[in-house]
Amino acid sequence: MNGVSENRKYKVLLVEDDAQILRVLKLELEHEGFDVETAADGLSGLEKALKEPDLVVLDLMLPKLDGLEVCARVRAKSRVPIIMLTAKDRIPDRVAGLDKGADDYVVKPFSIEELLARIRARLREREPHDSVLRAKDLTMDRDRHEVTRGGAAIHLTAKEYALLEYLLLHRNKVHSRDELFNGVWGSDFLGDSNLIDVYIRYLRGKIDDPYDDKLIQTVRGVGYALKD
């Protein structure tokens, strides 16, 4: 499932009082293969979150019990990953959510690709660590921080390595520039997703250009994919 284990179906709890947003998110997540449960207020969200889903997407402004209080009560009893979802973009609001135990923070309006990238990142953190990633004759040893192709060492910068790692974890999937940017740099980074084009070019120069078999492919109008 796009970088997380395909051997199980992950359960995601959506706690959101806006019915339209809730419906759209539920449909999108189900399309991506997640098992989705919903709650429209803080009290029912708290009850369902304490039943240990794999991840909770939690709105900040909720009736009956606000998201900060839900987060704090869940965190007192559970380590389930929590992504706060809110229209509040002020730094104190972000800090308050993180201080209550949220693992991540997404500000409305947001792209579904960004939210999916955050969800996958949090779920990957809970999975056993795959020390070696492979695509054909390309190998990444994550414990040694080494990359080889056909047995020859390839020297990458930190961001080139991070981009290649993301592509390997999500191999055979087409990624938009925004999805790659959020997955590697994070949505809080002040930059332009066109930076992805620059780093894809750098990466190709090291892992593709010297070889006949090209791994990184451009899908026009969409983005990039690493195919094995």
Side-chain angles (χ1 to χ4, degrees):
M1 187 189 293
N2 303 318
V4 293
S5 174
E6 296 179 355
N7 297 323
R8 55 171 295 195
K9 194 168 187 176
Y10 287 89
K11 178 178 285 187
V12 175
L13 170 63
L14 299 176
V15 188
E16 166 65 64
D17 64 327
D18 186 310
Q20 183 176 358
I21 293 176
L22 191 64
R23 181 178 60 84
V24 170
L25 289 181
K26 185 175 188 294
L27 288 173
E28 290 285 353
L29 289 176
E30 287 177 340
H31 178 71
E32 291 294 319
F34 293 100
D35 181 10
V36 182
E37 189 172 16
T38 64
D41 64 75
L43 282 177
S44 60
L46 174 62
E47 180 182 355
K48 292 178 180 181
L50 291 176
K51 294 179 180 178
E52 292 290 333
D54 293 299
L55 182 139
V56 178
V57 177
L58 177 64
D59 189 29
L60 181 60
M61 304 299 291
L62 292 168
K64 298 185 180 179
L65 198 65
D66 70 64
L68 289 178
E69 185 62 25
V70 173
C71 184
R73 295 191 190 186
V74 171
R75 188 55 74 233
K77 298 182 179 181
S78 169
R79 290 306 308 165
V80 59
I82 298 173
I83 299 177
M84 298 292 293
L85 190 64
T86 178
K88 289 191 174 183
D89 194 20
R90 296 190 311 111
I91 296 299
D93 292 318
R94 297 192 189 197
V95 172
L98 296 171
D99 282 348
K100 293 293 186 181
D103 298 278
D104 210 342
Y105 207 107
V106 178
V107 177
K108 301 175 185 176
F110 57 90
S111 69
I112 189 62
E113 290 84 4
E114 176 188 357
L115 180 59
L116 286 169
R118 300 296 187 96
I119 289 173
R120 292 176 188 129
R122 300 286 81 79
L123 290 174
R124 281 199 305 273
E125 291 172 358
R126 305 193 88 194
E127 291 193 331
H129 179 73
D130 291 328
S131 61
V132 178
L133 303 175
R134 292 185 177 88
K136 295 188 177 178
D137 59 342
L138 177 73
T139 300
M140 173 181 281
D141 188 322
R142 299 164 81 192
D143 290 338
R144 296 178 178 230
H145 209 76
E146 294 176 349
V147 176
T148 61
R149 184 158 190 193
I154 297 174
H155 301 288
L156 303 176
T157 66
K159 279 301 179 200
E160 290 167 353
Y161 183 96
L163 178 57
L164 179 60
E165 182 180 37
Y166 188 91
L167 288 168
L168 283 167
L169 285 167
H170 303 80
R171 56 191 173 275
N172 298 316
K173 179 183 182 297
V174 180
H175 306 273
S176 69
R177 289 169 178 81
D178 284 341
E179 186 177 356
L180 288 171
F181 187 79
N182 289 325
V184 177
W185 274 265
S187 65
D188 291 333
F189 182 80
L190 298 177
D192 191 320
S193 62
N194 288 331
L195 193 62
I196 291 297
D197 297 328
V198 175
Y199 274 87
I200 287 288
R201 188 166 66 248
Y202 293 160
L203 204 50
R204 277 177 165 155
K206 295 181 179 182
I207 72 165
D208 267 352
D209 290 353
Y211 304 90
D212 293 331
D213 194 4
K214 310 305 181 186
L215 296 175
I216 300 176
Q217 298 183 12
T218 301
V219 180
R220 294 193 180 279
V222 183
Y224 300 100
L226 189 147
K227 303 276 187 162
D228 64 356

